[in-house]
Each structure stands twice: as structure tokens, then as C-alpha cells.
Amino acid sequence: MQRCPRLPRTVAIAALARALAAAAFGLGMTQLSEAAPIEVVDVTGGTVQGIPSDTRGVSEFRGIPYAGNVGGENAWKPAPPVTPWTGTMTAGSWGDRMLQDPGSESGQPPVSSDGLNLTVWTPAETKDASLPVYMLIHGGANRLGSSAMADIYDAELAAQGIVVVSVQYRLGAQGFMALPEMENSGPNGAKGNFAVLDLVDALEWIRDNISEFGGDPHTVTIGGQSAGGENAVALLRTPLAKGLFRRAFIQSSFTGFLPGKIKNFASKAQHDQAAVDEVMGAPTTLVDLRAIDEAKWLAPWKDGKESLFSLLARATGGGQFFTIDDHVFTEDSVNLLQPGDFDGLDIVIGQTADEYTGLRGVSSMTEDEQHEALLNFIREYQVGNVDPTIFPLYATDDPVEASRLALRAINDYMFQYVRIGAEIAKANSPASNIYLYYWDHWPPGKDQGLKRAYHAADLWYWNGSLREGAKDQRPWSDPDFRMKQMAMTYLANFVKTGDPNGHSVPHWEQVSGGSDNGPSRFLRLHEGEAELRTQTIYPTRDGYMRQVIEEGMAKR
């Protein structure tokens, strides 16, 4: 991840290529208006002035606070309101990143507890433009990330005629930890899920302020990738967000709408308290944790190699981010497999074909090591069990390929997991538009043949962030630019209408809701092209994983 630099203007040939790509999808160049976009707006807290983005006709407003500082006594509580400012704030610099390990990459914004801010890209020329809105939730395992990540720089996506709002939220233990003493916070108090409360605050900020940027507060799509996708599903699950958005665009959420990383409060609080006490070396309370200053959170802990932030993020996160607390989530609200759960909502959901090559890396495995990995990849919050009949499906005589295929098995399972959830959602909410994709386009770069369509490989394309000639990006080629324009068009169409079709992109059918409608179809994106399929190119693997999941669900 890196801060998005000031990207250079491309040469005339590259500009012509982009124009031709846009024309191929029926967009022409109408989004590049000669009129000036909105530059100065009044929002909660004061007045902000934007700056030109790298895309003609689009203004960007970086680092606008939507809530107050959540450090010290404000930690592990609902965020306080924005502190008002006087005069005009020039929103030309990224806001602080939310507290996280800073990393070694230069040019990144500082980290602090004052990181509840957002960035807006708008092509609107007037405040009454009523453009549809896309709220983007960054990824990063709920431990890192920010709006300044280069692969979610959304100026070109906004140029398709939408307002994009990239939001930050609390991370790690600060965002997701639950302790038993939170039980005393009252029936509507916060008992974990602080990051989700932040995202609800961001949605309410959009409702109250986005018309200033030419956006329509009644036509909001939420979306994100990885942890951002999981958090988008969390917003589908909380009654606190009801009515604040109409659509969801969910990338690489791992579990989709089937059972996921959710625990009841008693279990989560007991687990987290034990984990915190172990890391701290003594019984620890919220008072103790609130007294720790930011420098100590980020310094190596007890002469170790990891920070206290990192240790507690892993100890209290992992496979159990979200807490059923009867406020943010209830037993009923987290169950998205009921009739009518998606009524009034439209959904796009999907995975990349090789998620784990980017998350764990490809190494080398003996046959026995691969078999052990294949038998043990399903996590406690998922369903089903594999058996030795899986071995021939991922057999190879190459030790490196054995490692890649062991990771591919996880991806194959995850795609069917997400696919089944989407089909159930469609069956239970037939009036909702629900679309499924399978991202199998490989970005260029080192180890392309091993990493393939890795986790986050699709971000550059959906967000329109890749630029020809940018020295700090990859050596993009024609299929990448075709894929970027196609992906942006699908996403912008969906944000506008709830239907990704239109403007000459290949037709994308919805999933089918039940066996009576035949095999469910999904869109495979590969090599700059898209096609509808009922199977991946490995249908035997598809069938095996689907059977594992269906049998596991029947036993729950």
C-alpha cells in the first residue's frame, strides 16, 4: 500500500487509447465536462475547499473529519462528534490514518486516534446534481489501511458520473475488541463493534452532507474489498444502518452471507479478556488500556519485535471480528438467510480466483504437506469437512505447484461459499438484483504466473486507479486498460441503477434463486474480457466444494 502520488498526465497516445476504450463501452467522453466541479462546501464542522484530482472534471476533498478523536478516554466508546473548525479547511492532504502499525513505506500519512476522516471525489458542477453515491470501505484485515492507498484512488471512477466517498474506521482491538466490563454500558451501549459504529457514523455523515458535493443521499451504495467487504456485509447485518444505503458491492468478503466471523458477546468478551491479559501479562481493564499513549501502542512491546497494537489486534481479531451485542447486531439481524432479508437492496458480490497467493504466498510442499493442508483449511466459523477424495483434484508432481494448488483449494471453497450465499439470498428476496462475479484477470508484475488473480488484484480495475506511465505502478498493457474500463463501467452502472448492465459491456445475468431456475450463472473476468459461466474451468473442483458446503450446512 502506498500514498497515491500526484500522477502525471499521460501522453497523447495513451489519452487517445483511453478515449477509445471509453467509447467502446458507450461512455464517450461526456464525463469530462469543461465546467468546473464543486470546489467549496459546508459540512458538519465547517467549510472545506477541495483540490483538482488527477482526472479532469473531478474534484477531491481529502481528510474531511466525520467524527472526533477516539483516543484516551474516548477509546472503546461510540465516537464523539466532529470538533468544529474556523475558516476554510483546505482538504488537499490525506487525513491521518487510523491507529495502526505505521509501516516502513515513505510518503504515508501519519497514524493517530484522530483518523476518523473520509475523502470525497465528485464530478458534480452544482450541488443539485443528485448524483448516486458510492461509500468505499478500505481493506487491510481490519488491522491496517486508509483512504490514501494507491489502488483505491477513485477519481476516474467518479468521472463516470458518481460521487465516491472513501471512509476510514477504527482498526484492530480499538475497533473490534469486546471485554466483559462492557456489559455495564447499558442496553444500547457499545460492546465491541466500534468500527461498525464508525461506519454507521460515516453513512449518517453522507446522509447529512453529501448533497453539498452534488450527491444524492437517497441513492447510496456501500462497498469494499477484503475487510472492507466483510464490513459491508456487517452493515447489511446491523439494524443501525437500515435505510442509509440501497446497494452493496462486496469484494473478497471470504464468507459472503453464510456463517462468518461473528460471536455472541459472552463468548467474545471471555476470549478477548483472556487474550488481553496474556499479552499484557496481568489482569487488564479498559481504564488500564485507555491510559496507554499512542507511542506505547506502536512501540515494540516488552522488547519484542511486534507492537502492542499488532499483538492485541491479532489476539482479539482473527476469526471473530463481530459481536452479537443486541445493539449493533442481534441473533436475528446477523442471519441473512431468511426470507426478505435483502428486500429493497441490490447486491454485487464476488471473489478473485487466487485470493491466498497474495495473503500467504507460494512456497514449496511435499505431497504429505499438501495433503495435510488440504484436510485442514476450513475454519471454525465456516461449514463442512473435506476428506481424502480431494487429493486427486489438486495433485501435481511440482512442489511449488503443490503449494499454489493447496491455496487454490481454499479459494475454490470460498467461491462456492459466497456463491451459495448469493443464491439463497436471491431465492429469499426474488425482487432484489443479485449478481456474482469471479475475478480471474492476472495483473502484470513479478511472479504473475504464481500469484495470478491474487487477493486485491481487482482493486486497481474496479476503482479505476491504474495509470499508464505511472512509475510506481505496474507495467500495464492493453488487456489491463480494457479491464479497467469494463470494471469501472459495471460498477458505475450498478451504483446508478442497481444493475451493472448497460453502455455496451457484456451482459451480466443475476444468480438464480433455486434449482428450478437451472445452474446459477456468474461473470468471469479474464484477460480484459468477460463471459457468463455456470462453472469455473475446473467443474469437478466446483462440484466437490459445493457438496462439502451443502452437507456442512445441513448439519448446522
Side-chain angles (χ1 to χ4, degrees):
M1 297 181 302
Q2 55 191 315
R3 180 177 177 175
C4 185
R6 218 58 185 143
L7 297 172
R9 297 289 183 185
T10 55
V11 295
I13 293 176
L16 177 60
R18 288 196 303 274
L20 291 173
F25 293 107
L27 298 177
M29 299 299 286
T30 57
Q31 70 268 29
L32 303 181
S33 170
E34 296 298 330
I38 293 170
E39 295 180 350
V40 179
V41 298
D42 294 318
V43 298
T44 302
T47 302
V48 292
Q49 179 170 351
I51 61 173
S53 72
D54 79 330
T55 300
R56 189 177 63 182
V58 176
S59 288
E60 67 185 44
F61 298 75
R62 299 181 180 182
I64 303 173
Y66 70 87
N69 192 300
V70 287
E73 288 303 309
N74 291 332
W76 295 287
K77 297 177 182 177
V82 169
T83 300
W85 59 90
T86 58
T88 299
M89 174 193 297
T90 300
S93 300
W94 301 111
D96 285 3
R97 291 177 289 165
M98 203 60 240
L99 193 68
Q100 61 189 274
D101 285 328
S104 59
E105 191 171 351
S106 62
Q108 285 288 306
V111 302
S112 77
S113 296
D114 201 19
L116 294 182
N117 59 70
L118 49 81
T119 294
V120 179
W121 289 271
T122 179
E125 298 162 10
T126 62
K127 295 179 181 180
D128 61 358
S130 292
L131 299 179
V133 179
Y134 178 45
M135 187 180 95
L136 172 64
I137 308 168
H138 70 76
N142 279 328
R143 300 181 196 177
L144 67 150
S146 75
S147 296
M149 296 160 62
D151 51 9
I152 57 170
Y153 183 78
D154 275 22
E156 282 199 22
L157 177 60
Q160 312 307 307
I162 64 176
V163 177
V164 181
V165 184
S166 177
V167 303
Q168 300 183 174
Y169 52 95
R170 275 175 277 187
L171 303 167
Q174 282 78 0
F176 297 93
M177 182 184 73
L179 297 183
E181 65 184 281
M182 293 177 186
E183 180 71 43
N184 302 321
S185 59
N188 291 329
K191 304 180 185 71
N193 304 312
F194 302 99
V196 182
L197 291 174
D198 295 340
L199 294 172
V200 173
D201 285 345
L203 281 168
E204 291 176 342
W205 186 96
I206 290 172
R207 177 196 63 198
D208 298 340
N209 295 277
I210 204 63
S211 59
E212 287 286 312
F213 299 85
D216 178 4
H218 305 295
T219 309
V220 176
T221 299
I222 60 171
Q225 180 267 349
S226 191
E230 291 182 276
N231 295 337
V233 175
L235 290 173
L236 288 166
R237 286 185 159 123
T238 176
L240 301 183
K242 187 175 179 61
L244 295 174
F245 62 91
R246 296 175 59 181
R247 298 168 188 134
F249 183 81
I250 304 162
Q251 303 168 251
S252 301
S253 64
F254 296 97
T255 57
F257 309 134
L258 295 188
K261 301 176 183 180
I262 305 168
K263 294 279 189 180
N264 64 58
F265 174 73
S267 175
K268 179 78 158 72
Q270 181 181 17
H271 170 277
D272 286 3
Q273 185 71 67
V276 170
D277 292 350
E278 181 177 355
V279 170
M280 301 300 291
T284 304
T285 67
L286 286 173
V287 170
D288 299 327
L289 293 170
R290 287 171 178 144
I292 300 173
D293 64 30
E294 289 184 1
K296 195 169 183 179
W297 275 105
L298 300 178
W301 181 244
K302 295 185 176 180
D303 299 323
K305 295 182 179 180
E306 291 188 86
S307 69
L308 178 59
F309 174 88
S310 179
L311 289 168
L312 285 185
R314 184 171 65 253
T316 63
Q320 44 180 329
F321 288 135
F322 308 110
T323 305
I324 297 174
D325 60 355
D326 294 325
H327 175 53
V328 178
F329 300 114
T330 68
E331 290 281 359
D332 181 68
S333 76
V334 299
N335 182 0
L336 294 178
L337 304 181
Q338 304 172 92
D341 278 346
F342 290 87
D343 286 354
L345 297 170
D346 300 313
I347 305 291
V348 168
I349 189 167
Q351 300 283 133
T352 70
D354 299 277
E355 302 277 3
Y356 274 87
T357 59
L359 293 172
R360 296 182 184 175
V362 178
S363 55
S364 178
M365 277 185 172
T366 65
E367 182 179 65
D368 287 345
E369 289 171 335
Q370 190 210 39
H371 288 176
E372 182 178 2
L374 289 171
L375 291 175
N376 293 287
F377 70 80
I378 296 177
R379 300 188 178 185
E380 61 173 332
Y381 54 82
Q382 296 170 326
V383 300
N385 292 287
V386 299
D387 60 29
T389 60
I390 194 176
F391 297 158
L393 303 181
Y394 298 92
T396 177
D397 58 3
D398 183 333
V400 174
E401 184 69 357
S403 172
R404 189 190 71 79
L405 287 173
L407 298 176
R408 184 60 178 263
I410 309 174
N411 298 306
D412 293 343
Y413 171 89
M414 284 172 25
F415 180 65
Q416 296 303 320
Y417 206 84
V418 167
R419 183 181 187 180
I420 290 171
E423 292 167 352
I424 293 172
K426 181 64 179 178
N428 287 335
S429 299
S432 294
N433 295 330
I434 300 180
Y435 301 86
L436 177 69
Y437 73 84
Y438 181 75
W439 187 276
D440 199 13
H441 181 83
W442 307 357
K446 184 180 178 181
D447 296 330
Q448 182 189 41
L450 282 178
K451 295 179 69 176
R452 303 191 179 194
Y454 57 86
H455 188 68
D458 53 338
L459 281 175
W460 294 101
Y461 304 89
W462 294 116
N463 292 292
S465 307
L466 61 87
R467 301 289 189 273
E468 184 167 341
K471 295 180 180 179
D472 59 346
Q473 292 191 8
R474 296 168 179 269
W476 311 112
S477 62
D478 289 348
D480 299 301
F481 291 109
R482 287 198 307 272
M483 188 59 76
K484 179 184 82 165
Q485 193 62 56
M486 185 186 300
M488 280 198 307
T489 303
Y490 279 130
L491 177 50
N493 287 343
F494 179 72
V495 171
K496 292 173 184 177
T497 68
D499 182 344
N501 292 292
H503 298 296
S504 301
V505 288
H507 182 66
W508 188 348
E509 286 185 14
Q510 296 187 50
V511 299
S512 54
S515 58
D516 291 344
N517 298 315
S520 184
R521 307 188 81 179
F522 59 87
L523 194 74
R524 180 187 183 228
L525 299 110
H526 179 69
E527 291 295 319
E529 298 179 351
E531 63 171 343
L532 280 171
R533 297 183 65 98
T534 58
Q535 302 170 325
T536 72
I537 59 175
Y538 297 101
T540 307
R541 296 176 185 173
D542 295 347
Y544 178 86
M545 294 301 182
R546 189 177 184 96
Q547 181 178 352
V548 164
I549 295 164
E550 290 175 340
E551 290 178 352
M553 291 179 65
K555 295 176 181 179
R556 288 184 73 92

